[in-house]
Amino acid sequence: MAGSPRRDEPSRDQPRRDQPCPDQPCPGRDPGLQPERTRLAWRRTTLSCTAVAILAGRQVVQHHAPGPVVVVAVALVLLVWIAFMAAAHVRMRAMCDSRPPVLSARTALALVACTCALAALGAAILV
Amino acid sequence: MILTDRLRSIGAGVRLWFTPARVREEGTTPDYRFSLANERTFLAWLRTGLALVGGGFAVDQFLPRLHDVLRVTFTVVLLVGGALCAVRAVNHWVRCERAMRRGEDLPASRFPAVLAVAVGLLAAAMVVLVAVGWTR
C-alpha cells in the first residue's frame, strides 16, 4: 500500500485547486522572489517589535512592586504590539500576490506611530 | 528667511506623508519591484528604529548600577533616536516613491552618516563608562 497512490490523492496531471501550480513555477512569479523577500523583511520587523515588547514586559515581571504607571505603560505596549502585528499581517497577506500593490501610506504611518509610541512608553516606564 | 523656507519645506514634506494620493497623481507607476525594494528599505530603517528603542529599554534594565543621571540620559537618547529613525523612515520612503514616479534621482541624505557617528560615539561612551565602572 505504501508504494501505490491513494485514491483521493490528486494525480500529477491535474493539480489541486488550492495549489494552482505544484510543480511548475507560477507564470506570473517574479524570478527574483521580490514579494517573498519583502514578506520576510516584514517578518523580521515584527520580530524586532516583539523583542521590544518582551523587554517592556520584563520590566513588570522583574520588578518587586511595579507601580501603576509601569503596569499601565506595559499594558499599552502590549496593545501597540498587537496593532503592529495586525498591520504587518495585512501587508504580509498582500505579499501572497505575485504583483503586490504599493504599500499604503496609512500602513507605513501606523507602523511609525507604533514605534514612536513604544519609545514614548519606554520613557514613561523610566520615570 | 532661510529658516522660514526650511520650515515651509518641512511642512510640505509632512503633508506629503498624509496625502499619499497626491504622490500617486504624479508621474508613472514604477516597476513593482522597485516599490518593493523601497518598502524593504523602509522596513530596514524601521527595524533600526526599533533596535534603538529596544536598546533604550535594555540600558534601563541591564545597567542598574550605572549612575541614575547617566542611565536616564542614555535611555532617553536611545529612545528619541529610535523615534527619529522611524519618522525618517517614512519620510524617506515617501520621497523615494515620489522620485521614482517622477523619474528623478533618489533623494540624497546625510542621515545615515549622522546616525553612524552618533551610534559609534554612544557605544564608545558606554564602553568607557561600564569599563571604568562609574557606578553608584
Side-chain angles (χ1 to χ4, degrees):
Chain A
M1 200 60 200
S4 64
R6 295 213 324 263
R7 205 156 56 89
D8 55 346
E9 213 170 54
S11 69
R12 266 183 181 280
D13 304 331
Q14 289 174 328
R16 272 163 49 190
R17 278 239 180 93
D18 54 338
Q19 286 180 344
C21 33
D23 298 329
Q24 300 289 320
C26 291
R29 178 66 74 205
D30 172 38
L33 298 177
Q34 299 272 348
E36 285 77 3
R37 283 159 64 188
T38 313
R39 187 154 50 81
L40 288 173
W42 276 99
R43 183 52 73 205
R44 288 197 293 279
T45 312
T46 56
L47 280 173
S48 304
C49 184
T50 306
V52 174
I54 287 173
L55 271 177
R58 188 180 175 277
Q59 189 89 23
V60 163
V61 178
Q62 292 284 312
H63 214 284
H64 296 298
V69 175
V70 173
V71 173
V72 169
V74 170
L76 288 175
V77 165
L78 198 65
L79 281 180
V80 169
W81 177 78
I82 289 171
F84 199 103
M85 291 298 131
H89 180 74
V90 169
R91 184 60 184 159
M92 278 195 275
R93 287 289 297 272
M95 286 299 146
C96 295
D97 196 354
S98 58
R99 289 258 191 287
V102 177
L103 172 67
S104 76
R106 205 195 297 166
T107 308
L109 278 173
L111 292 182
V112 169
C114 283
T115 308
C116 291
L118 286 176
L121 290 169
I125 289 172
L126 191 67
V127 172
Chain B
M1 198 58 195
I2 295 167
L3 189 70
T4 52
D5 282 353
R6 181 115 183 101
L7 279 177
R8 200 169 296 144
S9 75
I10 288 173
V14 171
R15 266 201 304 282
L16 201 62
W17 305 348
F18 292 99
T19 52
R22 258 183 43 214
V23 176
R24 220 157 281 177
E25 281 166 11
E26 292 182 69
T28 52
T29 307
D31 188 331
Y32 77 101
R33 287 172 291 188
F34 297 154
S35 289
L36 288 181
N38 192 19
E39 181 175 337
R40 288 197 295 276
T41 309
F42 163 69
L43 290 175
W45 276 109
L46 199 64
R47 281 199 296 280
T48 309
L50 282 168
L52 288 174
V53 171
F57 278 94
V59 166
D60 187 30
Q61 293 187 27
F62 295 114
L63 296 174
R65 292 183 55 202
L66 200 64
H67 196 280
D68 263 351
V69 175
L70 284 173
R71 191 167 51 85
V72 169
T73 307
F74 275 125
T75 305
V76 167
V77 166
L78 283 167
L79 290 175
V80 170
L84 269 180
C85 241
V87 170
R88 189 267 176 185
V90 73
N91 182 41
H92 196 69
W93 172 73
V94 166
R95 286 176 54 196
C96 283
E97 204 67 29
R98 187 177 56 174
M100 287 196 296
R101 293 194 72 92
R102 289 175 175 171
E104 292 171 354
D105 288 345
L106 294 185
S109 170
R110 64 173 79 91
F111 186 86
V114 172
L115 183 70
V117 170
V119 168
L121 286 178
L122 207 62
M126 204 85 88
V127 165
V128 168
L129 282 178
V130 173
V132 169
W134 193 5
T135 54
R136 283 185 289 185

